[in-house]
Amino acid sequence: MGGKEEEEGQEPKLKQQKVVSNNIIVQFVSPEGEPTGPQLDVPTNVTAQQCQTLLQGLLREDEPRPYSFYIDDQELGGALVDHLKKHKLSVESLLKIVYQPQAVFRVRPVTRCSASIPGHDAAILCVNFSPNGKHLCTGSGDTTVRFWHLGTQTPHHTCRGHKSWVLSVVWSPDAAMVASGDRDGAIWLWDPTKGTAIGQCKGHRKFISSICWEPAHEALPSRKFCSGSKDGTVKVWEAGTRRLLYSLGSHTAGVTAVIWGGEGLIYSAARDCTINVWRSSDGSMVRTLRGHGHWVNTMSLSTSYALKTGAFNHKGERPGSDEDAQKEARKRYLEAKGGQTSPERLVTGSDDFTLCLWEPGRSKQPISRMVGHQQLVNQVCFSPDGRWILSASFDKSVKLWDGVKGKFVATFRGHVGPVYQVAWSADSRLAVSGSKDSTLKLWDMRTRKAAVDLPGHADEVFTVDWSPTGDAVASGGRDKVLKLWKQ
């Protein structure tokens, strides 16, 4: 009896071995769609780690870096045979494996609130880490801009000058200045080391919705920045003299977002449902992008992270001289863009519940119109590597999209209120979201699931940012408390 059972038990094992011993022809394909090396005959039980070894042998890189592998947009996690069975793929035809470079460093997930720092007398409306990850700045409804000491987790400087709510605080790419805009249309420049005002820029008639600095690879030290306002104009300023260089006034409704791109273009989104593309050198209009049926609320560039951090690497270090730092900033920008000839990609989110993906330097037609949200899209954000897009919506969900083709990838559900903001970790493997439900949630891009739930705020979480060095997340909201989250 026992022998018979043993024989019956052996049969599936033999069959399994037969499947495992099969071979399959694979072709490694670059993110741009180019074949890498010859077609390879490999066992079906090859793992993602072994694919890594094979690919590094084909690429012959001086400094090997980690890669992730995708078959028909599905990530290869374990053995190839398990992936083939799960997705019912044939072993008879050529299997194309697309590889994506990953960050050589890994950011650990934040798991706890390390500090709750009071100080503001009204809701915290914006929070922003410096490009080197060493400093933190917040703007609040109490009309102050505050700088915080990350080492001691205490207030550092309180900057007074604004007469109304501070809606935007943005660091220059060299971390030497902070520009802040308020509800009255005033812009102030601050010295973050001393906590003193450098000066004020006057010109806008209504609230400042967005501020963006000229990229570090174009000019270092940072000299210029642009601002968008509800008065329908985009203004470009000289930071040293606080002088208005030119005003761009083609929008027929309030400007909601501005981005100073790396290709000599400025992008502005507005409530007139359009996105205008301007030449930063002289302020002339290049083209208008039309594709949304309602207000355009938010924008992000595939190179936004590299433009924000400038010459600073993931450790917060940069070359000593400005000339070397500018070269390093250009190198980091080109890596983020995907090479000299690759275009910047722009994603926009709207009150019409959709996103649009563009190549604004090349065409006025969208690459993809991305539908799926059931409510307005509040924020869109490209991952630091430009591979993914996250969108936060009032439908209580966060959605993940392919950053190259605009295809839908996954929906992250868990929040029970509108999601206001999302922020990526520097290695593009994790993201954090803040919601009206008073919680933050940490999402894992590999598992496509919530990794950590971070309750703690007493009310709505309006703003969230992840340090470029990866060691802390900062959040603020209606409860007036700045919270720092660490590993």
Side-chain angles (χ1 to χ4, degrees), residues 387-418:
R387 173 83 181 92
W388 308 106
I389 297 165
L390 276 180
S391 56
S393 169
F394 273 39
D395 66 8
K396 307 174 188 174
S397 76
V398 176
K399 288 188 188 290
L400 180 69
W401 313 82
D402 183 298
V404 179
K405 297 172 188 168
K407 283 185 185 173
F408 169 76
V409 177
T411 299
F412 300 137
R413 296 193 191 281
H415 285 296
V416 293

Side-chain angles (χ1 to χ4, degrees), residues 56 178 295 313:
Q56 284 170 352
V178 168
W295 296 351
N313 64 15

